[in-house]
Amino acid sequence: MNGSVENSGEEELVEWVWVAGYSSLSTLVIIFNSILFFSVAKNSFLHYSTHYTVLAMAVRNILYMLVCICILLLTKLEETPSVWRETISADSQESELMCEILSCLDTFLSSLLMFYLLGLAGYMFCRSPNPPISPASQTTLKMYGLNSKAMRIREGVWQAPLLLLLPLLCALLVSLPAPLLHMPHPLSVIPGKVVCNTSPNINYQTSIATLAFCLPIITLVLLIIGLSIRRCLSCTGGECISSFCKEEIFLGMITFPYSLVSVAKIIPLLNNHLQRFGLDTTDLEGYLNPGITRAVEGSCGLFLPILLYCLLPPYRRFSSQPDTSDLYQSKRDIYRQSLSTGERLSQVSEDMI
């Protein structure tokens, strides 16, 4: 009797530790991801598609933590039946509708991040390896010498809306079957505690795992390898470190943890398929249960702003200043252009003589 009371007390203590951890993590994620908006707004050199997509990812991180808090609140409410009956009607349709909405939001936000990363990788692969530089005319060299600054990124009007809206549309199409076809899935924020504990639709979950996780991860790996090869070729040509190079490093570093989390989230589904084929299941589900993977994915929302402020100096300045690497590269290229311009002028003068 005393042993069972002690075990229940320990379990309750562990649950409240998880509640305190989620509360602190949510506060930090909301604060740090909100600061990114001030960094981008204050620096006009960050006003292009890459950083607009980063802001969209920051909004996604904030919304994901809010969904986790809602699931956590629902978990604690289910443990107190009296409060649950006062909060939610005894009619099971309301609880089913709530589970369908939460499942839809969970699928939408999880897949949205992978689609944003995929779009960002495709955008970086299609653009030039280094930012443009201002042309060195004779008037510019006479007025400013070699102190000309790096140019602001100018791109087509359609690029930013495409990068922002297309991933939204893809994630919405992937998540809509949950409320429309009544196919929720179990949700967990605390290990061992599950809400909406219904049997998931295997075919639908397999489609999500394939379209929202496996294919984007494989494509991301190939694009990052291609970006690395192109960066090596660019470095051999003399132009290596620039703001575009740092953005590509950021993409590779932020893709790695989110890809691992996405793979960990589909381990239970993989075990179900292995059981259906009569094969041995993996032993990873005991260590990477849905509660732990959700906490790790929420922590990655804090990793995003930390990585940006460490790798990209313009985020730390809160003023319209370019990256020092772009400024150095711009001065160096202007110097080269000035030398070539001077050589051409001297050659023309010799020909005239």
Side-chain angles (χ1 to χ4, degrees), residues 35-47 55 152 314-322:
I35 296 176
L36 294 177
F37 287 87
F38 295 97
S39 298
V40 175
K42 296 289 288 183
N43 196 337
S44 60
F45 286 91
L46 299 178
H47 293 178
L55 293 183
R152 290 173 173 82
Y315 274 86
R316 304 193 298 263
R317 290 173 180 166
F318 294 94
S319 60
S320 292
Q321 297 181 15

Side-chain angles (χ1 to χ4, degrees), residues 48-163:
Y48 57 97
S49 298
T50 299
H51 304 286
Y52 295 153
T53 307
V54 167
L55 293 183
M57 293 166 60
V59 173
R60 177 265 169 199
N61 290 336
I62 295 173
L63 293 178
Y64 186 80
M65 293 310 303
L66 294 178
V67 171
C68 290
I69 292 298
C70 291
I71 299 173
L72 183 63
L73 180 61
L74 190 62
T75 303
K76 300 304 292 182
L77 284 176
E78 285 191 350
E79 294 181 354
T80 53
S82 59
V83 179
W84 175 256
R85 284 193 297 268
E86 293 178 0
T87 307
I88 303 296
S89 174
D91 189 2
S92 61
Q93 291 184 354
E94 292 188 4
S95 60
E96 290 178 1
L97 179 61
M98 182 179 297
C99 288
E100 292 170 2
I101 293 175
L102 288 176
S103 298
C104 177
L105 290 174
D106 182 53
T107 303
F108 174 76
L109 294 174
S110 297
S111 59
L112 180 62
L113 184 76
M114 299 307 300
F115 288 136
Y116 270 136
L117 289 175
L118 183 60
L120 197 58
Y123 168 75
M124 290 182 179
F125 189 78
C126 294
R127 71 182 182 183
S128 61
N130 294 296
I133 61 170
S134 55
S137 63
Q138 287 297 313
T139 304
T140 303
L141 293 173
K142 289 179 180 178
M143 293 180 62
Y144 303 104
L146 299 179
N147 294 321
S148 301
K149 293 184 177 180
M151 294 178 61
R152 290 173 173 82
I153 305 300
R154 300 185 182 277
E155 55 188 11
V157 181
W158 56 272
Q159 291 183 4
L162 182 66
L163 276 177

Side-chain angles (χ1 to χ4, degrees), residues 115-296:
F115 288 136
Y116 270 136
L117 289 175
L118 183 60
L120 197 58
Y123 168 75
M124 290 182 179
F125 189 78
C126 294
R127 71 182 182 183
S128 61
N130 294 296
I133 61 170
S134 55
S137 63
Q138 287 297 313
T139 304
T140 303
L141 293 173
K142 289 179 180 178
M143 293 180 62
Y144 303 104
L146 299 179
N147 294 321
S148 301
K149 293 184 177 180
M151 294 178 61
R152 290 173 173 82
I153 305 300
R154 300 185 182 277
E155 55 188 11
V157 181
W158 56 272
Q159 291 183 4
L162 182 66
L163 276 177
L164 294 176
L165 297 180
L166 186 58
L168 277 173
L169 178 61
C170 295
L172 186 64
L173 293 176
V174 169
S175 61
L176 275 181
L180 295 181
L181 301 179
H182 308 290
M183 293 187 297
H185 61 268
L187 302 169
S188 176
V189 292
I190 301 176
K193 301 291 182 179
V194 180
V195 296
C196 305
N197 196 8
T198 59
S199 179
N201 188 289
I202 300 298
N203 295 329
Y204 176 51
Q205 295 301 318
T206 304
S207 301
I208 293 175
T210 304
L211 298 175
F213 299 128
C214 295
L215 288 179
I217 289 174
I218 294 173
T219 310
L220 274 169
V221 170
L222 295 177
L223 287 174
I224 290 175
I225 292 174
L227 287 170
S228 302
I229 295 173
R230 188 181 69 170
R231 181 57 53 185
C232 292
L233 295 176
S234 176
C235 289
T236 56
E239 299 176 358
C240 188
I241 303 299
S242 64
S243 60
F244 283 11
C245 175
K246 297 175 183 178
E247 290 171 3
E248 293 167 7
I249 295 174
F250 159 76
L251 176 66
M253 295 184 68
I254 199 64
T255 299
F256 180 71
Y258 277 117
S259 299
L260 291 181
V261 170
S262 299
V263 172
K265 291 172 70 173
I266 64 176
I267 286 178
L269 179 64
L270 176 62
N271 288 335
N272 289 334
H273 283 292
L274 291 175
Q275 288 179 354
R276 295 175 66 182
F277 286 107
L279 301 176
D280 295 333
T281 60
T282 62
D283 297 329
L284 298 175
E285 190 173 357
Y287 304 98
L288 301 174
N289 59 68
I292 294 178
T293 54
R294 185 177 296 275
V296 174

